[in-house]
Amino acid sequence: MNTSTETPKNIHQGRNVKRFREMLGWKQEALALALGND
């Protein structure tokens, strides 16, 4: 069953985060510091 609120299985959020981070030229540590540790 697939409703409009479900995330399709073919979307990889981690890959999207990596792509965005690389576009900005940020390393993982810089992103982690920017997001904070709350």
Side-chain angles (χ1 to χ4, degrees):
M1 187 184 309
N2 191 4
T3 64
S4 60
T5 58
E6 289 184 66
T7 303
K9 293 182 187 217
N10 62 349
I11 295 178
H12 299 280
Q13 296 302 327
R15 193 176 299 160
N16 290 338
V17 170
K18 180 182 178 188
R19 191 175 310 159
F20 185 70
R21 177 177 59 77
E22 288 176 345
M23 284 188 332
L24 294 174
W26 288 16
K27 295 185 184 267
Q28 281 185 324
E29 186 175 319
L31 178 61
L33 289 172
L35 292 174
N37 59 359
D38 291 345

